[in-house]
Amino acid sequence: EGYYGDGAVPSSGSGSGSSSVGAAGGGGGAAAHTFYDDPALAYTVDRPITGWDEKRAGWLRAHPEFAGGGEKGRVLMVSGSQPTPCRSPGGDHTLMRLLKNKADYCRLHGVQLLYNMALLRPSMDRYWAKIPVIRAAMVAHPEAEWVWWVDSDAVLTDMDFRLPLRRYRAHNLVVHGWPSLVFEASSWTSLNAGVFLIRNCQWSLDFMDAWAAMGPDSPDYQHWGAVLKSTFKDKVFDESDDQSALVYMLLQEGSRWRDKVFLESGYYFEGYWMEIVGRLANMTERYEAMERRPGAAALRRRHAEREHAEYAVARNAALGGAGLAETGVHGWRRPFVTHFTGCQPCSGQRNEHYSGDSCDQGMRRALNFADDQVLRAYGFRHASSLSDDVQPLPFDYPAKAVTS
């Protein structure tokens, strides 16, 4: 099955169903009771939820206007950052640009976006903070079939790419990883927990409960740190982190989780920035050359931003003939997500192997690379890969060159 979808425009979820609020106000009969009316149900991670699949199904029956559109129209992207200002100079501006990038992608593809800046459970901070947010998001958005967690330091760098949800029909969790590194090499970096898809279902709630039980809320937190360090020979610190815990859960004999986890390595579901940013300029040149090929005039045609999905499908279909279909370090297809792991743009506490310039300039290159794909619908692009200035695009770009 192809990765890249069939180009159908997602449902906006704005159907014409009746309003339970209006009904409760006396205008249209009694509102249907749902799980929201149960005082025992809580949003917090310390209160397990049972029967969630039935609760969701009941809510969707009561709100059929949200049940249509198929899986493509029922994705909720969740991201976030700390509630306090960044310590790093320019960090808040960088976070704003990273948020804009996610908002651009979601607008183009009909995906809902939730950006959280509240620490919902202070004892679960840093990389563990996402679990309480995702749990609350599932309860607040029963219409969402999938919750798509994207770290704040990840950049959507292919605005044409759509999640191949049909590929994951039999799975409940999708992470970027390699089975050989997980199950043979037993490496804690065999997958990345900074970007993942998780289905809104009881399995996922149970999974997150088990995952969080290895985190800082657990009385066994120090014990788990020692266990994970001894399990993964390439792990140099003895703290229990979310990524090592996830790999550990998959490694256990008879794991109840393994069969429902999809380790995605077929495309850059989440790509390491160091192997990507130096190649972005060449990718731009190759995509422009594709649109200058004989018979490619339709790809260059100016169009409304609302027509993005249709033109994205056409561009994706042309990649093979232009030698751009292959992804990864040996291919020239645009990476879907470029993840600046270790750069810490807000705190400034970068991985010691990265210089400030390499992180800062890498993020600017990736953000401008993505922004150019958005600005094209408005008739502009950045003057260069590191420039904040923009230039107008000529008619029939890129057949005609941009002039300063």
Side-chain angles (χ1 to χ4, degrees), residues 60-99:
L60 288 169
R61 284 194 299 271
H63 299 83
E65 67 273 21
F66 295 109
E71 288 189 339
K72 293 180 183 179
R74 294 163 62 189
V75 176
L76 173 70
M77 180 189 289
V78 181
S79 187
S81 54
Q82 64 187 46
T84 56
C86 292
R87 294 193 300 271
S88 175
D92 290 307
H93 177 72
T94 300
L95 286 184
M96 183 170 63
R97 289 205 64 188
L98 289 161
L99 170 56

mmCIF file of all heavy atoms in Angstrom, residues 60-99:
data_model
loop_
_atom_site.group_PDB
_atom_site.id
_atom_site.type_symbol
_atom_site.label_atom_id
_atom_site.label_comp_id
_atom_site.label_asym_id
_atom_site.label_seq_id
_atom_site.Cartn_x
_atom_site.Cartn_y
_atom_site.Cartn_z
ATOM 1 N N LEU A 60 -19.892 9.469 20.426
ATOM 2 C CA LEU A 60 -20.004 9.650 18.978
ATOM 3 C C LEU A 60 -21.424 9.370 18.489
ATOM 4 O O LEU A 60 -21.901 10.013 17.554
ATOM 5 C CB LEU A 60 -19.002 8.756 18.253
ATOM 6 C CG LEU A 60 -17.536 9.197 18.380
ATOM 7 C CD1 LEU A 60 -16.607 8.114 17.866
ATOM 8 C CD2 LEU A 60 -17.303 10.499 17.613
ATOM 9 N N ARG A 61 -22.116 8.426 19.111
ATOM 10 C CA ARG A 61 -23.523 8.190 18.747
ATOM 11 C C ARG A 61 -24.365 9.407 19.097
ATOM 12 O O ARG A 61 -25.306 9.757 18.371
ATOM 13 C CB ARG A 61 -24.056 6.947 19.461
ATOM 14 C CG ARG A 61 -23.588 5.630 18.866
ATOM 15 C CD ARG A 61 -24.404 4.458 19.398
ATOM 16 N NE ARG A 61 -24.289 4.308 20.846
ATOM 17 C CZ ARG A 61 -23.364 3.588 21.455
ATOM 18 N NH1 ARG A 61 -22.434 2.954 20.720
ATOM 19 N NH2 ARG A 61 -23.337 3.495 22.776
ATOM 20 N N ALA A 62 -24.028 10.053 20.214
ATOM 21 C CA ALA A 62 -24.775 11.244 20.624
ATOM 22 C C ALA A 62 -24.414 12.467 19.789
ATOM 23 O O ALA A 62 -25.159 13.447 19.768
ATOM 24 C CB ALA A 62 -24.525 11.534 22.100
ATOM 25 N N HIS A 63 -23.268 12.398 19.094
ATOM 26 C CA HIS A 63 -22.792 13.522 18.277
ATOM 27 C C HIS A 63 -22.365 13.001 16.910
ATOM 28 O O HIS A 63 -21.182 13.015 16.553
ATOM 29 C CB HIS A 63 -21.618 14.239 18.963
ATOM 30 C CG HIS A 63 -21.975 14.825 20.285
ATOM 31 N ND1 HIS A 63 -21.991 14.086 21.453
ATOM 32 C CD2 HIS A 63 -22.347 16.091 20.638
ATOM 33 C CE1 HIS A 63 -22.340 14.860 22.453
ATOM 34 N NE2 HIS A 63 -22.571 16.082 21.988
ATOM 35 N N PRO A 64 -23.309 12.512 16.127
ATOM 36 C CA PRO A 64 -22.960 11.894 14.840
ATOM 37 C C PRO A 64 -22.292 12.866 13.879
ATOM 38 O O PRO A 64 -21.629 12.431 12.932
ATOM 39 C CB PRO A 64 -24.314 11.410 14.306
ATOM 40 C CG PRO A 64 -25.337 12.261 15.003
ATOM 41 C CD PRO A 64 -24.772 12.521 16.358
ATOM 42 N N GLU A 65 -22.435 14.166 14.097
ATOM 43 C CA GLU A 65 -21.801 15.141 13.206
ATOM 44 C C GLU A 65 -20.279 15.059 13.270
ATOM 45 O O GLU A 65 -19.587 15.519 12.360
ATOM 46 C CB GLU A 65 -22.257 16.559 13.553
ATOM 47 C CG GLU A 65 -21.807 17.096 14.894
ATOM 48 C CD GLU A 65 -22.737 16.751 16.050
ATOM 49 O OE1 GLU A 65 -23.522 15.781 15.916
ATOM 50 O OE2 GLU A 65 -22.671 17.453 17.073
ATOM 51 N N PHE A 66 -19.733 14.479 14.351
ATOM 52 C CA PHE A 66 -18.285 14.356 14.492
ATOM 53 C C PHE A 66 -17.763 12.983 14.090
ATOM 54 O O PHE A 66 -16.563 12.750 14.115
ATOM 55 C CB PHE A 66 -17.868 14.630 15.938
ATOM 56 C CG PHE A 66 -18.134 16.039 16.375
ATOM 57 C CD1 PHE A 66 -19.140 16.318 17.279
ATOM 58 C CD2 PHE A 66 -17.384 17.085 15.868
ATOM 59 C CE1 PHE A 66 -19.398 17.615 17.692
ATOM 60 C CE2 PHE A 66 -17.629 18.387 16.267
ATOM 61 C CZ PHE A 66 -18.634 18.661 17.177
ATOM 62 N N ALA A 67 -18.653 12.076 13.742
ATOM 63 C CA ALA A 67 -18.228 10.710 13.451
ATOM 64 C C ALA A 67 -17.851 10.519 11.989
ATOM 65 O O ALA A 67 -17.276 9.508 11.626
ATOM 66 C CB ALA A 67 -19.341 9.721 13.828
ATOM 67 N N GLY A 68 -18.168 11.484 11.121
ATOM 68 C CA GLY A 68 -17.884 11.327 9.697
ATOM 69 C C GLY A 68 -16.479 11.746 9.340
ATOM 70 O O GLY A 68 -15.675 12.157 10.173
ATOM 71 N N GLY A 69 -16.168 11.631 8.051
ATOM 72 C CA GLY A 69 -14.887 12.076 7.543
ATOM 73 C C GLY A 69 -13.791 11.041 7.571
ATOM 74 O O GLY A 69 -12.716 11.273 7.049
ATOM 75 N N GLY A 70 -14.047 9.871 8.204
ATOM 76 C CA GLY A 70 -13.026 8.842 8.239
ATOM 77 C C GLY A 70 -11.863 9.252 9.118
ATOM 78 O O GLY A 70 -11.835 10.315 9.735
ATOM 79 N N GLU A 71 -10.862 8.384 9.185
ATOM 80 C CA GLU A 71 -9.717 8.638 10.043
ATOM 81 C C GLU A 71 -8.951 9.880 9.613
ATOM 82 O O GLU A 71 -8.360 10.577 10.421
ATOM 83 C CB GLU A 71 -8.786 7.427 10.040
ATOM 84 C CG GLU A 71 -9.339 6.238 10.808
ATOM 85 C CD GLU A 71 -8.313 5.140 10.963
ATOM 86 O OE1 GLU A 71 -7.360 5.119 10.170
ATOM 87 O OE2 GLU A 71 -8.463 4.320 11.873
ATOM 88 N N LYS A 72 -8.950 10.200 8.323
ATOM 89 C CA LYS A 72 -8.123 11.310 7.842
ATOM 90 C C LYS A 72 -8.528 12.628 8.464
ATOM 91 O O LYS A 72 -7.705 13.510 8.667
ATOM 92 C CB LYS A 72 -8.210 11.402 6.318
ATOM 93 C CG LYS A 72 -7.588 10.219 5.618
ATOM 94 C CD LYS A 72 -7.719 10.381 4.125
ATOM 95 C CE LYS A 72 -7.169 9.151 3.422
ATOM 96 N NZ LYS A 72 -7.309 9.263 1.978
ATOM 97 N N GLY A 73 -9.819 12.781 8.738
ATOM 98 C CA GLY A 73 -10.292 14.027 9.297
ATOM 99 C C GLY A 73 -10.339 14.037 10.810
ATOM 100 O O GLY A 73 -10.870 14.972 11.391
ATOM 101 N N ARG A 74 -9.782 13.035 11.464
ATOM 102 C CA ARG A 74 -9.910 12.912 12.907
ATOM 103 C C ARG A 74 -8.543 12.729 13.567
ATOM 104 O O ARG A 74 -8.310 11.802 14.329
ATOM 105 C CB ARG A 74 -10.850 11.768 13.249
ATOM 106 C CG ARG A 74 -12.290 12.052 12.805
ATOM 107 C CD ARG A 74 -13.121 10.800 12.758
ATOM 108 N NE ARG A 74 -13.248 10.172 14.070
ATOM 109 C CZ ARG A 74 -13.783 8.966 14.246
ATOM 110 N NH1 ARG A 74 -14.204 8.264 13.207
ATOM 111 N NH2 ARG A 74 -13.875 8.445 15.450
ATOM 112 N N VAL A 75 -7.626 13.622 13.229
ATOM 113 C CA VAL A 75 -6.294 13.629 13.826
ATOM 114 C C VAL A 75 -6.144 14.907 14.644
ATOM 115 O O VAL A 75 -6.468 15.998 14.171
ATOM 116 C CB VAL A 75 -5.188 13.556 12.757
ATOM 117 C CG1 VAL A 75 -3.807 13.664 13.390
ATOM 118 C CG2 VAL A 75 -5.308 12.256 11.959
ATOM 119 N N LEU A 76 -5.665 14.772 15.854
ATOM 120 C CA LEU A 76 -5.379 15.915 16.717
ATOM 121 C C LEU A 76 -3.878 15.970 16.955
ATOM 122 O O LEU A 76 -3.310 15.050 17.544
ATOM 123 C CB LEU A 76 -6.112 15.773 18.054
ATOM 124 C CG LEU A 76 -5.777 16.818 19.124
ATOM 125 C CD1 LEU A 76 -6.326 18.180 18.726
ATOM 126 C CD2 LEU A 76 -6.332 16.389 20.490
ATOM 127 N N MET A 77 -3.224 17.012 16.438
ATOM 128 C CA MET A 77 -1.812 17.211 16.751
ATOM 129 C C MET A 77 -1.706 17.899 18.106
ATOM 130 O O MET A 77 -2.383 18.876 18.376
ATOM 131 C CB MET A 77 -1.114 18.067 15.691
ATOM 132 C CG MET A 77 0.371 18.291 15.985
ATOM 133 S SD MET A 77 1.184 19.511 14.918
ATOM 134 C CE MET A 77 1.238 18.629 13.361
ATOM 135 N N VAL A 78 -0.826 17.375 18.949
ATOM 136 C CA VAL A 78 -0.596 17.939 20.270
ATOM 137 C C VAL A 78 0.887 18.259 20.408
ATOM 138 O O VAL A 78 1.742 17.425 20.101
ATOM 139 C CB VAL A 78 -1.036 16.983 21.397
ATOM 140 C CG1 VAL A 78 -0.797 17.625 22.767
ATOM 141 C CG2 VAL A 78 -2.503 16.601 21.242
ATOM 142 N N SER A 79 1.172 19.458 20.828
ATOM 143 C CA SER A 79 2.544 19.876 21.103
ATOM 144 C C SER A 79 2.500 20.825 22.287
ATOM 145 O O SER A 79 1.436 21.076 22.861
ATOM 146 C CB SER A 79 3.155 20.540 19.868
ATOM 147 O OG SER A 79 4.543 20.805 20.055
ATOM 148 N N GLY A 80 3.658 21.351 22.672
ATOM 149 C CA GLY A 80 3.639 22.280 23.793
ATOM 150 C C GLY A 80 5.023 22.691 24.216
ATOM 151 O O GLY A 80 6.040 22.194 23.719
ATOM 152 N N SER A 81 5.061 23.619 25.151
ATOM 153 C CA SER A 81 6.314 24.105 25.703
ATOM 154 C C SER A 81 6.070 24.547 27.131
ATOM 155 O O SER A 81 4.936 24.546 27.613
ATOM 156 C CB SER A 81 6.878 25.250 24.850
ATOM 157 O OG SER A 81 5.920 26.280 24.685
ATOM 158 N N GLN A 82 7.130 24.938 27.801
ATOM 159 C CA GLN A 82 7.040 25.258 29.229
ATOM 160 C C GLN A 82 6.190 26.507 29.478
ATOM 161 O O GLN A 82 6.060 27.363 28.602
ATOM 162 C CB GLN A 82 8.450 25.467 29.783
ATOM 163 C CG GLN A 82 9.174 26.658 29.181
ATOM 164 C CD GLN A 82 10.619 26.714 29.632
ATOM 165 O OE1 GLN A 82 11.319 25.715 29.620
ATOM 166 N NE2 GLN A 82 11.060 27.893 30.075
ATOM 167 N N PRO A 83 5.624 26.625 30.684
ATOM 168 C CA PRO A 83 4.751 27.772 30.974
ATOM 169 C C PRO A 83 5.503 29.066 31.241
ATOM 170 O O PRO A 83 4.885 30.140 31.240
ATOM 171 C CB PRO A 83 3.987 27.320 32.225
ATOM 172 C CG PRO A 83 4.865 26.300 32.872
ATOM 173 C CD PRO A 83 5.587 25.615 31.758
ATOM 174 N N THR A 84 6.804 29.000 31.467
ATOM 175 C CA THR A 84 7.590 30.187 31.787
ATOM 176 C C THR A 84 8.423 30.615 30.583
ATOM 177 O O THR A 84 8.661 29.822 29.672
ATOM 178 C CB THR A 84 8.525 29.907 32.974
ATOM 179 O OG1 THR A 84 9.344 28.757 32.659
ATOM 180 C CG2 THR A 84 7.713 29.612 34.235
ATOM 181 N N PRO A 85 8.883 31.872 30.554
ATOM 182 C CA PRO A 85 9.710 32.323 29.431
ATOM 183 C C PRO A 85 10.995 31.511 29.300
ATOM 184 O O PRO A 85 11.509 30.965 30.280
ATOM 185 C CB PRO A 85 10.018 33.790 29.786
ATOM 186 C CG PRO A 85 8.921 34.206 30.713
ATOM 187 C CD PRO A 85 8.567 32.981 31.487
ATOM 188 N N CYS A 86 11.494 31.448 28.079
ATOM 189 C CA CYS A 86 12.734 30.716 27.814
ATOM 190 C C CYS A 86 13.921 31.428 28.455
ATOM 191 O O CYS A 86 13.990 32.660 28.495
ATOM 192 C CB CYS A 86 12.971 30.611 26.310
ATOM 193 S SG CYS A 86 11.788 29.568 25.443
ATOM 194 N N ARG A 87 14.875 30.645 28.919
ATOM 195 C CA ARG A 87 16.115 31.205 29.458
ATOM 196 C C ARG A 87 17.082 31.593 28.343
ATOM 197 O O ARG A 87 17.884 32.508 28.499
ATOM 198 C CB ARG A 87 16.789 30.195 30.390
ATOM 199 C CG ARG A 87 16.000 29.895 31.651
ATOM 200 C CD ARG A 87 16.843 29.156 32.674
ATOM 201 N NE ARG A 87 17.334 27.880 32.174
ATOM 202 C CZ ARG A 87 16.675 26.746 32.279
ATOM 203 N NH1 ARG A 87 15.478 26.735 32.850
ATOM 204 N NH2 ARG A 87 17.185 25.627 31.825
ATOM 205 N N SER A 88 17.020 30.897 27.235
ATOM 206 C CA SER A 88 17.936 31.163 26.131
ATOM 207 C C SER A 88 17.506 32.417 25.373
ATOM 208 O O SER A 88 16.325 32.562 25.035
ATOM 209 C CB SER A 88 17.961 29.970 25.171
ATOM 210 O OG SER A 88 18.758 30.240 24.039
ATOM 211 N N PRO A 89 18.440 33.348 25.098
ATOM 212 C CA PRO A 89 18.083 34.518 24.287
ATOM 213 C C PRO A 89 17.533 34.094 22.928
ATOM 214 O O PRO A 89 18.124 33.259 22.251
ATOM 215 C CB PRO A 89 19.420 35.262 24.141
ATOM 216 C CG PRO A 89 20.259 34.783 25.280
ATOM 217 C CD PRO A 89 19.846 33.359 25.520
ATOM 218 N N GLY A 90 16.417 34.659 22.556
ATOM 219 C CA GLY A 90 15.796 34.290 21.287
ATOM 220 C C GLY A 90 15.001 33.006 21.330
ATOM 221 O O GLY A 90 14.377 32.621 20.330
ATOM 222 N N GLY A 91 14.988 32.335 22.485
ATOM 223 C CA GLY A 91 14.281 31.054 22.576
ATOM 224 C C GLY A 91 12.790 31.172 22.354
ATOM 225 O O GLY A 91 12.173 30.339 21.684
ATOM 226 N N ASP A 92 12.177 32.231 22.917
ATOM 227 C CA ASP A 92 10.729 32.406 22.758
ATOM 228 C C ASP A 92 10.359 32.680 21.301
ATOM 229 O O ASP A 92 9.326 32.206 20.816
ATOM 230 C CB ASP A 92 10.226 33.531 23.656
ATOM 231 C CG ASP A 92 10.279 33.158 25.127
ATOM 232 O OD1 ASP A 92 9.733 32.104 25.481
ATOM 233 O OD2 ASP A 92 10.880 33.914 25.909
ATOM 234 N N HIS A 93 11.209 33.436 20.603
ATOM 235 C CA HIS A 93 10.948 33.686 19.182
ATOM 236 C C HIS A 93 11.063 32.394 18.383
ATOM 237 O O HIS A 93 10.235 32.127 17.491
ATOM 238 C CB HIS A 93 11.931 34.719 18.638
ATOM 239 C CG HIS A 93 11.783 34.973 17.164
ATOM 240 N ND1 HIS A 93 10.712 35.658 16.630
ATOM 241 C CD2 HIS A 93 12.556 34.587 16.099
ATOM 242 C CE1 HIS A 93 10.830 35.707 15.312
ATOM 243 N NE2 HIS A 93 11.933 35.066 14.968
ATOM 244 N N THR A 94 12.055 31.575 18.712
ATOM 245 C CA THR A 94 12.207 30.294 18.015
ATOM 246 C C THR A 94 11.002 29.397 18.266
ATOM 247 O O THR A 94 10.481 28.758 17.341
ATOM 248 C CB THR A 94 13.497 29.587 18.468
ATOM 249 O OG1 THR A 94 14.632 30.419 18.167
ATOM 250 C CG2 THR A 94 13.659 28.247 17.765
ATOM 251 N N LEU A 95 10.530 29.358 19.512
ATOM 252 C CA LEU A 95 9.344 28.550 19.807
ATOM 253 C C LEU A 95 8.129 29.056 19.044
ATOM 254 O O LEU A 95 7.293 28.258 18.591
ATOM 255 C CB LEU A 95 9.054 28.555 21.308
ATOM 256 C CG LEU A 95 9.967 27.726 22.206
ATOM 257 C CD1 LEU A 95 9.465 27.767 23.650
ATOM 258 C CD2 LEU A 95 10.071 26.279 21.729
ATOM 259 N N MET A 96 8.018 30.383 18.893
ATOM 260 C CA MET A 96 6.900 30.922 18.129
ATOM 261 C C MET A 96 6.976 30.483 16.669
ATOM 262 O O MET A 96 5.971 30.121 16.060
ATOM 263 C CB MET A 96 6.888 32.444 18.222
ATOM 264 C CG MET A 96 5.694 33.094 17.499
ATOM 265 S SD MET A 96 5.528 34.859 17.870
ATOM 266 C CE MET A 96 7.070 35.477 17.197
ATOM 267 N N ARG A 97 8.187 30.484 16.092
ATOM 268 C CA ARG A 97 8.346 30.032 14.714
ATOM 269 C C ARG A 97 8.039 28.538 14.593
ATOM 270 O O ARG A 97 7.438 28.096 13.599
ATOM 271 C CB ARG A 97 9.762 30.314 14.216
ATOM 272 C CG ARG A 97 10.078 31.778 13.977
ATOM 273 C CD ARG A 97 11.199 31.931 12.967
ATOM 274 N NE ARG A 97 10.814 31.432 11.653
ATOM 275 C CZ ARG A 97 11.658 31.310 10.622
ATOM 276 N NH1 ARG A 97 12.932 31.627 10.766
ATOM 277 N NH2 ARG A 97 11.237 30.843 9.455
ATOM 278 N N LEU A 98 8.452 27.767 15.584
ATOM 279 C CA LEU A 98 8.161 26.328 15.564
ATOM 280 C C LEU A 98 6.659 26.080 15.673
ATOM 281 O O LEU A 98 6.121 25.169 15.021
ATOM 282 C CB LEU A 98 8.906 25.642 16.705
ATOM 283 C CG LEU A 98 10.431 25.552 16.538
ATOM 284 C CD1 LEU A 98 11.109 25.289 17.879
ATOM 285 C CD2 LEU A 98 10.798 24.456 15.532
ATOM 286 N N LEU A 99 5.968 26.874 16.492
ATOM 287 C CA LEU A 99 4.510 26.761 16.585
ATOM 288 C C LEU A 99 3.853 27.160 15.274
ATOM 289 O O LEU A 99 2.914 26.488 14.814
ATOM 290 C CB LEU A 99 3.993 27.628 17.733
ATOM 291 C CG LEU A 99 2.478 27.807 17.834
ATOM 292 C CD1 LEU A 99 1.769 26.471 17.929
ATOM 293 C CD2 LEU A 99 2.122 28.698 19.018
#
